[in-house]
Amino acid sequence: MEIIIFILVGVFGATLPYYLHRKFNIEPVKASALPSLIVGLIFYFSPPILSESLHFHIPILFFGASFVGMVSKKILPSYLQVACAGILFTILYLNASSFFNGYGGGLGTAACISVLSLYGIKKIKTLLRFISVKKKSS
């Protein structure tokens, strides 16, 4: 059950800053920082009604996922792609964030890897379409 909550937080944390930037023209850093501050303050000042693990990890996960939401619409143009990057970020955060110490921080590195992975998949699909068109025309 906790993993589902973590994935939902990752998706929401990634898509909310992206939405704020695209719809309200808020700068990406501010669109990431404002919701992260609100979530952080809520969890800092509220009593731990959730499990200790959720109470500790949700604000950190939301903050890291908001880095994903700072992506340009030229790189990930749809909300679905940003949501998928948020899911990938969550998986990286839960399984490998301790490996990223010393590389600019685990959250930023995991966010970068998740965005670059989806961007790479998008480019590979484009390349495969190009190759198949090239073969048909030959």
PDB file of all heavy atoms in Angstrom, residues 13-53:
ATOM      1  N   GLY A  13       3.729  15.129  -7.543  1.00  0.00           N
ATOM      2  CA  GLY A  13       4.851  16.041  -7.357  1.00  0.00           C
ATOM      3  C   GLY A  13       5.498  16.446  -8.659  1.00  0.00           C
ATOM      4  O   GLY A  13       6.049  17.547  -8.766  1.00  0.00           O
ATOM      5  N   ALA A  14       5.459  15.591  -9.659  1.00  0.00           N
ATOM      6  CA  ALA A  14       6.037  15.920 -10.965  1.00  0.00           C
ATOM      7  C   ALA A  14       5.075  16.744 -11.824  1.00  0.00           C
ATOM      8  O   ALA A  14       5.487  17.684 -12.493  1.00  0.00           O
ATOM      9  CB  ALA A  14       6.434  14.649 -11.700  1.00  0.00           C
ATOM     10  N   THR A  15       3.803  16.387 -11.804  1.00  0.00           N
ATOM     11  CA  THR A  15       2.867  17.054 -12.705  1.00  0.00           C
ATOM     12  C   THR A  15       2.394  18.422 -12.197  1.00  0.00           C
ATOM     13  O   THR A  15       2.084  19.294 -13.004  1.00  0.00           O
ATOM     14  CB  THR A  15       1.638  16.169 -12.989  1.00  0.00           C
ATOM     15  OG1 THR A  15       1.050  15.780 -11.758  1.00  0.00           O
ATOM     16  CG2 THR A  15       2.023  14.954 -13.811  1.00  0.00           C
ATOM     17  N   LEU A  16       2.343  18.623 -10.893  1.00  0.00           N
ATOM     18  CA  LEU A  16       1.871  19.911 -10.375  1.00  0.00           C
ATOM     19  C   LEU A  16       2.771  21.075 -10.791  1.00  0.00           C
ATOM     20  O   LEU A  16       2.265  22.073 -11.314  1.00  0.00           O
ATOM     21  CB  LEU A  16       1.686  19.857  -8.859  1.00  0.00           C
ATOM     22  CG  LEU A  16       1.154  21.153  -8.220  1.00  0.00           C
ATOM     23  CD1 LEU A  16      -0.219  21.504  -8.778  1.00  0.00           C
ATOM     24  CD2 LEU A  16       1.099  21.012  -6.714  1.00  0.00           C
ATOM     25  N   PRO A  17       4.089  21.019 -10.610  1.00  0.00           N
ATOM     26  CA  PRO A  17       4.921  22.132 -11.087  1.00  0.00           C
ATOM     27  C   PRO A  17       4.852  22.312 -12.601  1.00  0.00           C
ATOM     28  O   PRO A  17       4.868  23.438 -13.100  1.00  0.00           O
ATOM     29  CB  PRO A  17       6.336  21.751 -10.660  1.00  0.00           C
ATOM     30  CG  PRO A  17       6.158  20.788  -9.566  1.00  0.00           C
ATOM     31  CD  PRO A  17       4.874  20.067  -9.850  1.00  0.00           C
ATOM     32  N   TYR A  18       4.760  21.207 -13.333  1.00  0.00           N
ATOM     33  CA  TYR A  18       4.636  21.272 -14.789  1.00  0.00           C
ATOM     34  C   TYR A  18       3.347  21.997 -15.174  1.00  0.00           C
ATOM     35  O   TYR A  18       3.341  22.842 -16.063  1.00  0.00           O
ATOM     36  CB  TYR A  18       4.670  19.853 -15.345  1.00  0.00           C
ATOM     37  CG  TYR A  18       4.796  19.753 -16.843  1.00  0.00           C
ATOM     38  CD1 TYR A  18       6.011  19.990 -17.465  1.00  0.00           C
ATOM     39  CD2 TYR A  18       3.707  19.399 -17.630  1.00  0.00           C
ATOM     40  CE1 TYR A  18       6.131  19.885 -18.842  1.00  0.00           C
ATOM     41  CE2 TYR A  18       3.818  19.282 -18.994  1.00  0.00           C
ATOM     42  CZ  TYR A  18       5.043  19.531 -19.597  1.00  0.00           C
ATOM     43  OH  TYR A  18       5.157  19.424 -20.960  1.00  0.00           O
ATOM     44  N   TYR A  19       2.271  21.669 -14.483  1.00  0.00           N
ATOM     45  CA  TYR A  19       0.986  22.320 -14.715  1.00  0.00           C
ATOM     46  C   TYR A  19       1.047  23.813 -14.369  1.00  0.00           C
ATOM     47  O   TYR A  19       0.579  24.657 -15.137  1.00  0.00           O
ATOM     48  CB  TYR A  19      -0.104  21.629 -13.893  1.00  0.00           C
ATOM     49  CG  TYR A  19      -1.448  22.318 -13.939  1.00  0.00           C
ATOM     50  CD1 TYR A  19      -2.279  22.174 -15.044  1.00  0.00           C
ATOM     51  CD2 TYR A  19      -1.876  23.120 -12.890  1.00  0.00           C
ATOM     52  CE1 TYR A  19      -3.508  22.807 -15.100  1.00  0.00           C
ATOM     53  CE2 TYR A  19      -3.097  23.751 -12.932  1.00  0.00           C
ATOM     54  CZ  TYR A  19      -3.906  23.601 -14.041  1.00  0.00           C
ATOM     55  OH  TYR A  19      -5.117  24.241 -14.094  1.00  0.00           O
ATOM     56  N   LEU A  20       1.613  24.129 -13.221  1.00  0.00           N
ATOM     57  CA  LEU A  20       1.706  25.534 -12.807  1.00  0.00           C
ATOM     58  C   LEU A  20       2.534  26.346 -13.795  1.00  0.00           C
ATOM     59  O   LEU A  20       2.196  27.502 -14.094  1.00  0.00           O
ATOM     60  CB  LEU A  20       2.317  25.639 -11.408  1.00  0.00           C
ATOM     61  CG  LEU A  20       1.483  25.102 -10.259  1.00  0.00           C
ATOM     62  CD1 LEU A  20       2.288  25.129  -8.958  1.00  0.00           C
ATOM     63  CD2 LEU A  20       0.196  25.892 -10.110  1.00  0.00           C
ATOM     64  N   HIS A  21       3.591  25.756 -14.309  1.00  0.00           N
ATOM     65  CA  HIS A  21       4.430  26.459 -15.281  1.00  0.00           C
ATOM     66  C   HIS A  21       3.707  26.667 -16.608  1.00  0.00           C
ATOM     67  O   HIS A  21       3.740  27.756 -17.177  1.00  0.00           O
ATOM     68  CB  HIS A  21       5.732  25.693 -15.505  1.00  0.00           C
ATOM     69  CG  HIS A  21       6.579  26.249 -16.597  1.00  0.00           C
ATOM     70  ND1 HIS A  21       7.107  27.519 -16.556  1.00  0.00           N
ATOM     71  CD2 HIS A  21       6.989  25.714 -17.770  1.00  0.00           C
ATOM     72  CE1 HIS A  21       7.804  27.745 -17.663  1.00  0.00           C
ATOM     73  NE2 HIS A  21       7.736  26.656 -18.411  1.00  0.00           N
ATOM     74  N   ARG A  22       3.035  25.626 -17.090  1.00  0.00           N
ATOM     75  CA  ARG A  22       2.380  25.730 -18.406  1.00  0.00           C
ATOM     76  C   ARG A  22       1.114  26.564 -18.364  1.00  0.00           C
ATOM     77  O   ARG A  22       0.861  27.349 -19.283  1.00  0.00           O
ATOM     78  CB  ARG A  22       2.064  24.336 -18.940  1.00  0.00           C
ATOM     79  CG  ARG A  22       3.322  23.622 -19.404  1.00  0.00           C
ATOM     80  CD  ARG A  22       3.027  22.329 -20.059  1.00  0.00           C
ATOM     81  NE  ARG A  22       2.362  22.539 -21.349  1.00  0.00           N
ATOM     82  CZ  ARG A  22       2.079  21.567 -22.187  1.00  0.00           C
ATOM     83  NH1 ARG A  22       2.420  20.336 -21.891  1.00  0.00           N
ATOM     84  NH2 ARG A  22       1.466  21.801 -23.323  1.00  0.00           N
ATOM     85  N   LYS A  23       0.291  26.405 -17.349  1.00  0.00           N
ATOM     86  CA  LYS A  23      -1.015  27.075 -17.331  1.00  0.00           C
ATOM     87  C   LYS A  23      -0.961  28.486 -16.759  1.00  0.00           C
ATOM     88  O   LYS A  23      -1.695  29.365 -17.201  1.00  0.00           O
ATOM     89  CB  LYS A  23      -2.039  26.246 -16.539  1.00  0.00           C
ATOM     90  CG  LYS A  23      -2.383  24.944 -17.186  1.00  0.00           C
ATOM     91  CD  LYS A  23      -3.038  25.162 -18.536  1.00  0.00           C
ATOM     92  CE  LYS A  23      -3.387  23.822 -19.162  1.00  0.00           C
ATOM     93  NZ  LYS A  23      -3.791  23.943 -20.546  1.00  0.00           N
ATOM     94  N   PHE A  24      -0.114  28.703 -15.755  1.00  0.00           N
ATOM     95  CA  PHE A  24      -0.085  30.006 -15.095  1.00  0.00           C
ATOM     96  C   PHE A  24       1.196  30.778 -15.362  1.00  0.00           C
ATOM     97  O   PHE A  24       1.399  31.849 -14.799  1.00  0.00           O
ATOM     98  CB  PHE A  24      -0.291  29.841 -13.582  1.00  0.00           C
ATOM     99  CG  PHE A  24      -1.606  29.233 -13.243  1.00  0.00           C
ATOM    100  CD1 PHE A  24      -1.688  27.939 -12.765  1.00  0.00           C
ATOM    101  CD2 PHE A  24      -2.792  29.947 -13.422  1.00  0.00           C
ATOM    102  CE1 PHE A  24      -2.909  27.365 -12.458  1.00  0.00           C
ATOM    103  CE2 PHE A  24      -4.012  29.386 -13.118  1.00  0.00           C
ATOM    104  CZ  PHE A  24      -4.079  28.091 -12.633  1.00  0.00           C
ATOM    105  N   ASN A  25       2.055  30.231 -16.228  1.00  0.00           N
ATOM    106  CA  ASN A  25       3.292  30.885 -16.642  1.00  0.00           C
ATOM    107  C   ASN A  25       4.183  31.249 -15.449  1.00  0.00           C
ATOM    108  O   ASN A  25       4.854  32.279 -15.460  1.00  0.00           O
ATOM    109  CB  ASN A  25       3.004  32.103 -17.510  1.00  0.00           C
ATOM    110  CG  ASN A  25       4.145  32.427 -18.425  1.00  0.00           C
ATOM    111  OD1 ASN A  25       4.962  31.567 -18.731  1.00  0.00           O
ATOM    112  ND2 ASN A  25       4.226  33.666 -18.850  1.00  0.00           N
ATOM    113  N   ILE A  26       4.166  30.416 -14.422  1.00  0.00           N
ATOM    114  CA  ILE A  26       5.048  30.601 -13.275  1.00  0.00           C
ATOM    115  C   ILE A  26       6.403  30.008 -13.657  1.00  0.00           C
ATOM    116  O   ILE A  26       6.464  28.959 -14.296  1.00  0.00           O
ATOM    117  CB  ILE A  26       4.478  29.895 -12.023  1.00  0.00           C
ATOM    118  CG1 ILE A  26       3.122  30.492 -11.663  1.00  0.00           C
ATOM    119  CG2 ILE A  26       5.438  29.987 -10.854  1.00  0.00           C
ATOM    120  CD1 ILE A  26       2.408  29.743 -10.555  1.00  0.00           C
ATOM    121  N   GLU A  27       7.473  30.686 -13.286  1.00  0.00           N
ATOM    122  CA  GLU A  27       8.803  30.180 -13.599  1.00  0.00           C
ATOM    123  C   GLU A  27       8.965  28.769 -13.030  1.00  0.00           C
ATOM    124  O   GLU A  27       8.451  28.467 -11.956  1.00  0.00           O
ATOM    125  CB  GLU A  27       9.867  31.099 -13.016  1.00  0.00           C
ATOM    126  CG  GLU A  27       9.859  32.471 -13.622  1.00  0.00           C
ATOM    127  CD  GLU A  27      10.788  33.435 -12.894  1.00  0.00           C
ATOM    128  OE1 GLU A  27      11.588  32.982 -12.052  1.00  0.00           O
ATOM    129  OE2 GLU A  27      10.703  34.629 -13.174  1.00  0.00           O
ATOM    130  N   PRO A  28       9.702  27.893 -13.733  1.00  0.00           N
ATOM    131  CA  PRO A  28       9.794  26.496 -13.297  1.00  0.00           C
ATOM    132  C   PRO A  28      10.331  26.315 -11.877  1.00  0.00           C
ATOM    133  O   PRO A  28       9.847  25.455 -11.144  1.00  0.00           O
ATOM    134  CB  PRO A  28      10.745  25.864 -14.318  1.00  0.00           C
ATOM    135  CG  PRO A  28      10.669  26.731 -15.510  1.00  0.00           C
ATOM    136  CD  PRO A  28      10.372  28.107 -15.017  1.00  0.00           C
ATOM    137  N   VAL A  29      11.310  27.108 -11.486  1.00  0.00           N
ATOM    138  CA  VAL A  29      11.869  26.950 -10.146  1.00  0.00           C
ATOM    139  C   VAL A  29      10.838  27.335  -9.092  1.00  0.00           C
ATOM    140  O   VAL A  29      10.676  26.650  -8.072  1.00  0.00           O
ATOM    141  CB  VAL A  29      13.159  27.783  -9.992  1.00  0.00           C
ATOM    142  CG1 VAL A  29      13.668  27.733  -8.569  1.00  0.00           C
ATOM    143  CG2 VAL A  29      14.226  27.284 -10.963  1.00  0.00           C
ATOM    144  N   LYS A  30      10.100  28.413  -9.347  1.00  0.00           N
ATOM    145  CA  LYS A  30       9.051  28.822  -8.403  1.00  0.00           C
ATOM    146  C   LYS A  30       7.900  27.825  -8.402  1.00  0.00           C
ATOM    147  O   LYS A  30       7.314  27.549  -7.354  1.00  0.00           O
ATOM    148  CB  LYS A  30       8.535  30.214  -8.744  1.00  0.00           C
ATOM    149  CG  LYS A  30       9.544  31.306  -8.472  1.00  0.00           C
ATOM    150  CD  LYS A  30       8.984  32.661  -8.847  1.00  0.00           C
ATOM    151  CE  LYS A  30      10.026  33.740  -8.619  1.00  0.00           C
ATOM    152  NZ  LYS A  30       9.565  35.053  -9.070  1.00  0.00           N
ATOM    153  N   ALA A  31       7.580  27.277  -9.571  1.00  0.00           N
ATOM    154  CA  ALA A  31       6.508  26.285  -9.662  1.00  0.00           C
ATOM    155  C   ALA A  31       6.881  25.003  -8.920  1.00  0.00           C
ATOM    156  O   ALA A  31       6.005  24.282  -8.460  1.00  0.00           O
ATOM    157  CB  ALA A  31       6.207  25.975 -11.122  1.00  0.00           C
ATOM    158  N   SER A  32       8.169  24.734  -8.799  1.00  0.00           N
ATOM    159  CA  SER A  32       8.626  23.588  -8.030  1.00  0.00           C
ATOM    160  C   SER A  32       8.713  23.905  -6.541  1.00  0.00           C
ATOM    161  O   SER A  32       8.330  23.096  -5.694  1.00  0.00           O
ATOM    162  CB  SER A  32       9.999  23.144  -8.538  1.00  0.00           C
ATOM    163  OG  SER A  32      10.600  22.246  -7.655  1.00  0.00           O
ATOM    164  N   ALA A  33       9.216  25.083  -6.232  1.00  0.00           N
ATOM    165  CA  ALA A  33       9.493  25.438  -4.839  1.00  0.00           C
ATOM    166  C   ALA A  33       8.229  25.683  -4.020  1.00  0.00           C
ATOM    167  O   ALA A  33       8.154  25.255  -2.858  1.00  0.00           O
ATOM    168  CB  ALA A  33      10.389  26.665  -4.784  1.00  0.00           C
ATOM    169  N   LEU A  34       7.251  26.362  -4.586  1.00  0.00           N
ATOM    170  CA  LEU A  34       6.052  26.727  -3.823  1.00  0.00           C
ATOM    171  C   LEU A  34       5.264  25.508  -3.341  1.00  0.00           C
ATOM    172  O   LEU A  34       5.000  25.385  -2.140  1.00  0.00           O
ATOM    173  CB  LEU A  34       5.169  27.672  -4.632  1.00  0.00           C
ATOM    174  CG  LEU A  34       3.921  28.172  -3.923  1.00  0.00           C
ATOM    175  CD1 LEU A  34       4.302  28.987  -2.694  1.00  0.00           C
ATOM    176  CD2 LEU A  34       3.077  29.000  -4.869  1.00  0.00           C
ATOM    177  N   PRO A  35       4.900  24.572  -4.221  1.00  0.00           N
ATOM    178  CA  PRO A  35       4.185  23.383  -3.710  1.00  0.00           C
ATOM    179  C   PRO A  35       5.046  22.541  -2.767  1.00  0.00           C
ATOM    180  O   PRO A  35       4.534  21.985  -1.794  1.00  0.00           O
ATOM    181  CB  PRO A  35       3.841  22.579  -4.968  1.00  0.00           C
ATOM    182  CG  PRO A  35       4.012  23.487  -6.097  1.00  0.00           C
ATOM    183  CD  PRO A  35       4.965  24.549  -5.677  1.00  0.00           C
ATOM    184  N   SER A  36       6.349  22.480  -3.036  1.00  0.00           N
ATOM    185  CA  SER A  36       7.239  21.717  -2.157  1.00  0.00           C
ATOM    186  C   SER A  36       7.289  22.336  -0.767  1.00  0.00           C
ATOM    187  O   SER A  36       7.296  21.619   0.245  1.00  0.00           O
ATOM    188  CB  SER A  36       8.648  21.658  -2.747  1.00  0.00           C
ATOM    189  OG  SER A  36       8.640  20.971  -3.964  1.00  0.00           O
ATOM    190  N   LEU A  37       7.324  23.652  -0.707  1.00  0.00           N
ATOM    191  CA  LEU A  37       7.313  24.339   0.583  1.00  0.00           C
ATOM    192  C   LEU A  37       6.020  24.064   1.332  1.00  0.00           C
ATOM    193  O   LEU A  37       6.040  23.766   2.530  1.00  0.00           O
ATOM    194  CB  LEU A  37       7.501  25.848   0.381  1.00  0.00           C
ATOM    195  CG  LEU A  37       7.411  26.709   1.636  1.00  0.00           C
ATOM    196  CD1 LEU A  37       8.571  26.407   2.564  1.00  0.00           C
ATOM    197  CD2 LEU A  37       7.385  28.179   1.260  1.00  0.00           C
ATOM    198  N   ILE A  38       4.911  24.124   0.624  1.00  0.00           N
ATOM    199  CA  ILE A  38       3.611  23.882   1.266  1.00  0.00           C
ATOM    200  C   ILE A  38       3.537  22.457   1.804  1.00  0.00           C
ATOM    201  O   ILE A  38       3.149  22.237   2.960  1.00  0.00           O
ATOM    202  CB  ILE A  38       2.457  24.187   0.282  1.00  0.00           C
ATOM    203  CG1 ILE A  38       2.410  25.687  -0.006  1.00  0.00           C
ATOM    204  CG2 ILE A  38       1.124  23.703   0.833  1.00  0.00           C
ATOM    205  CD1 ILE A  38       1.503  26.075  -1.156  1.00  0.00           C
ATOM    206  N   VAL A  39       3.917  21.488   0.988  1.00  0.00           N
ATOM    207  CA  VAL A  39       3.881  20.087   1.433  1.00  0.00           C
ATOM    208  C   VAL A  39       4.837  19.885   2.603  1.00  0.00           C
ATOM    209  O   VAL A  39       4.497  19.231   3.597  1.00  0.00           O
ATOM    210  CB  VAL A  39       4.209  19.125   0.267  1.00  0.00           C
ATOM    211  CG1 VAL A  39       4.457  17.712   0.767  1.00  0.00           C
ATOM    212  CG2 VAL A  39       3.090  19.129  -0.757  1.00  0.00           C
ATOM    213  N   GLY A  40       6.028  20.458   2.501  1.00  0.00           N
ATOM    214  CA  GLY A  40       6.998  20.325   3.580  1.00  0.00           C
ATOM    215  C   GLY A  40       6.502  20.912   4.891  1.00  0.00           C
ATOM    216  O   GLY A  40       6.659  20.304   5.957  1.00  0.00           O
ATOM    217  N   LEU A  41       5.886  22.092   4.816  1.00  0.00           N
ATOM    218  CA  LEU A  41       5.366  22.714   6.027  1.00  0.00           C
ATOM    219  C   LEU A  41       4.205  21.929   6.628  1.00  0.00           C
ATOM    220  O   LEU A  41       4.099  21.798   7.850  1.00  0.00           O
ATOM    221  CB  LEU A  41       4.936  24.156   5.741  1.00  0.00           C
ATOM    222  CG  LEU A  41       6.066  25.159   5.500  1.00  0.00           C
ATOM    223  CD1 LEU A  41       5.503  26.513   5.078  1.00  0.00           C
ATOM    224  CD2 LEU A  41       6.950  25.290   6.727  1.00  0.00           C
ATOM    225  N   ILE A  42       3.345  21.407   5.775  1.00  0.00           N
ATOM    226  CA  ILE A  42       2.221  20.600   6.266  1.00  0.00           C
ATOM    227  C   ILE A  42       2.738  19.396   7.046  1.00  0.00           C
ATOM    228  O   ILE A  42       2.278  19.105   8.148  1.00  0.00           O
ATOM    229  CB  ILE A  42       1.303  20.164   5.107  1.00  0.00           C
ATOM    230  CG1 ILE A  42       0.510  21.367   4.581  1.00  0.00           C
ATOM    231  CG2 ILE A  42       0.361  19.046   5.547  1.00  0.00           C
ATOM    232  CD1 ILE A  42      -0.250  21.093   3.297  1.00  0.00           C
ATOM    233  N   PHE A  43       3.711  18.702   6.476  1.00  0.00           N
ATOM    234  CA  PHE A  43       4.217  17.505   7.147  1.00  0.00           C
ATOM    235  C   PHE A  43       5.120  17.841   8.330  1.00  0.00           C
ATOM    236  O   PHE A  43       5.252  17.050   9.244  1.00  0.00           O
ATOM    237  CB  PHE A  43       4.949  16.594   6.154  1.00  0.00           C
ATOM    238  CG  PHE A  43       4.013  15.713   5.392  1.00  0.00           C
ATOM    239  CD1 PHE A  43       3.382  16.163   4.246  1.00  0.00           C
ATOM    240  CD2 PHE A  43       3.743  14.433   5.827  1.00  0.00           C
ATOM    241  CE1 PHE A  43       2.509  15.365   3.549  1.00  0.00           C
ATOM    242  CE2 PHE A  43       2.866  13.621   5.138  1.00  0.00           C
ATOM    243  CZ  PHE A  43       2.243  14.088   3.993  1.00  0.00           C
ATOM    244  N   TYR A  44       5.729  19.012   8.329  1.00  0.00           N
ATOM    245  CA  TYR A  44       6.582  19.389   9.452  1.00  0.00           C
ATOM    246  C   TYR A  44       5.752  19.755  10.677  1.00  0.00           C
ATOM    247  O   TYR A  44       6.084  19.384  11.799  1.00  0.00           O
ATOM    248  CB  TYR A  44       7.482  20.563   9.055  1.00  0.00           C
ATOM    249  CG  TYR A  44       8.433  20.987  10.141  1.00  0.00           C
ATOM    250  CD1 TYR A  44       9.565  20.233  10.411  1.00  0.00           C
ATOM    251  CD2 TYR A  44       8.193  22.123  10.890  1.00  0.00           C
ATOM    252  CE1 TYR A  44      10.444  20.607  11.416  1.00  0.00           C
ATOM    253  CE2 TYR A  44       9.063  22.505  11.899  1.00  0.00           C
ATOM    254  CZ  TYR A  44      10.192  21.748  12.154  1.00  0.00           C
ATOM    255  OH  TYR A  44      11.055  22.123  13.148  1.00  0.00           O
ATOM    256  N   PHE A  45       4.650  20.481  10.449  1.00  0.00           N
ATOM    257  CA  PHE A  45       3.861  20.969  11.572  1.00  0.00           C
ATOM    258  C   PHE A  45       2.705  20.062  11.966  1.00  0.00           C
ATOM    259  O   PHE A  45       2.096  20.251  13.011  1.00  0.00           O
ATOM    260  CB  PHE A  45       3.329  22.381  11.288  1.00  0.00           C
ATOM    261  CG  PHE A  45       4.403  23.424  11.338  1.00  0.00           C
ATOM    262  CD1 PHE A  45       4.793  24.098  10.194  1.00  0.00           C
ATOM    263  CD2 PHE A  45       5.042  23.724  12.530  1.00  0.00           C
ATOM    264  CE1 PHE A  45       5.791  25.056  10.233  1.00  0.00           C
ATOM    265  CE2 PHE A  45       6.040  24.686  12.588  1.00  0.00           C
ATOM    266  CZ  PHE A  45       6.419  25.353  11.437  1.00  0.00           C
ATOM    267  N   SER A  46       2.368  19.097  11.125  1.00  0.00           N
ATOM    268  CA  SER A  46       1.256  18.213  11.476  1.00  0.00           C
ATOM    269  C   SER A  46       1.750  17.049  12.319  1.00  0.00           C
ATOM    270  O   SER A  46       2.889  16.604  12.169  1.00  0.00           O
ATOM    271  CB  SER A  46       0.583  17.685  10.207  1.00  0.00           C
ATOM    272  OG  SER A  46       1.441  16.803   9.532  1.00  0.00           O
ATOM    273  N   PRO A  47       0.899  16.552  13.174  1.00  0.00           N
ATOM    274  CA  PRO A  47       1.298  15.350  13.934  1.00  0.00           C
ATOM    275  C   PRO A  47       1.337  14.152  12.989  1.00  0.00           C
ATOM    276  O   PRO A  47       0.601  14.100  12.002  1.00  0.00           O
ATOM    277  CB  PRO A  47       0.177  15.206  14.968  1.00  0.00           C
ATOM    278  CG  PRO A  47      -0.980  15.920  14.388  1.00  0.00           C
ATOM    279  CD  PRO A  47      -0.429  17.024  13.528  1.00  0.00           C
ATOM    280  N   PRO A  48       2.189  13.200  13.253  1.00  0.00           N
ATOM    281  CA  PRO A  48       2.310  12.051  12.350  1.00  0.00           C
ATOM    282  C   PRO A  48       1.096  11.125  12.431  1.00  0.00           C
ATOM    283  O   PRO A  48       1.073  10.187  13.218  1.00  0.00           O
ATOM    284  CB  PRO A  48       3.585  11.357  12.816  1.00  0.00           C
ATOM    285  CG  PRO A  48       3.824  11.843  14.188  1.00  0.00           C
ATOM    286  CD  PRO A  48       3.162  13.173  14.317  1.00  0.00           C
ATOM    287  N   ILE A  49       0.074  11.415  11.609  1.00  0.00           N
ATOM    288  CA  ILE A  49      -1.114  10.561  11.584  1.00  0.00           C
ATOM    289  C   ILE A  49      -0.904   9.356  10.661  1.00  0.00           C
ATOM    290  O   ILE A  49      -1.584   8.359  10.778  1.00  0.00           O
ATOM    291  CB  ILE A  49      -2.373  11.344  11.157  1.00  0.00           C
ATOM    292  CG1 ILE A  49      -2.166  12.014   9.814  1.00  0.00           C
ATOM    293  CG2 ILE A  49      -2.746  12.358  12.216  1.00  0.00           C
ATOM    294  CD1 ILE A  49      -3.384  12.696   9.256  1.00  0.00           C
ATOM    295  N   LEU A  50       0.045   9.488   9.734  1.00  0.00           N
ATOM    296  CA  LEU A  50       0.392   8.382   8.852  1.00  0.00           C
ATOM    297  C   LEU A  50       1.483   7.551   9.517  1.00  0.00           C
ATOM    298  O   LEU A  50       1.976   7.907  10.583  1.00  0.00           O
ATOM    299  CB  LEU A  50       0.890   8.922   7.513  1.00  0.00           C
ATOM    300  CG  LEU A  50      -0.066   9.846   6.754  1.00  0.00           C
ATOM    301  CD1 LEU A  50       0.645  10.470   5.579  1.00  0.00           C
ATOM    302  CD2 LEU A  50      -1.276   9.062   6.285  1.00  0.00           C
ATOM    303  N   SER A  51       1.885   6.498   8.869  1.00  0.00           N
ATOM    304  CA  SER A  51       2.994   5.726   9.408  1.00  0.00           C
ATOM    305  C   SER A  51       4.256   6.584   9.406  1.00  0.00           C
ATOM    306  O   SER A  51       4.361   7.567   8.665  1.00  0.00           O
ATOM    307  CB  SER A  51       3.217   4.461   8.581  1.00  0.00           C
ATOM    308  OG  SER A  51       3.783   4.789   7.329  1.00  0.00           O
ATOM    309  N   GLU A  52       5.199   6.217  10.225  1.00  0.00           N
ATOM    310  CA  GLU A  52       6.431   7.000  10.330  1.00  0.00           C
ATOM    311  C   GLU A  52       7.169   7.059   8.994  1.00  0.00           C
ATOM    312  O   GLU A  52       7.729   8.088   8.634  1.00  0.00           O
ATOM    313  CB  GLU A  52       7.326   6.389  11.409  1.00  0.00           C
ATOM    314  CG  GLU A  52       8.505   7.249  11.767  1.00  0.00           C
ATOM    315  CD  GLU A  52       9.271   6.685  12.939  1.00  0.00           C
ATOM    316  OE1 GLU A  52       8.645   6.238  13.908  1.00  0.00           O
ATOM    317  OE2 GLU A  52      10.520   6.697  12.867  1.00  0.00           O
ATOM    318  N   SER A  53       7.153   5.975   8.256  1.00  0.00           N
ATOM    319  CA  SER A  53       7.812   5.927   6.957  1.00  0.00           C
ATOM    320  C   SER A  53       7.173   6.901   5.975  1.00  0.00           C
ATOM    321  O   SER A  53       7.870   7.651   5.288  1.00  0.00           O
ATOM    322  CB  SER A  53       7.742   4.503   6.403  1.00  0.00           C
ATOM    323  OG  SER A  53       8.253   4.458   5.097  1.00  0.00           O
TER     324      SER A  53
END
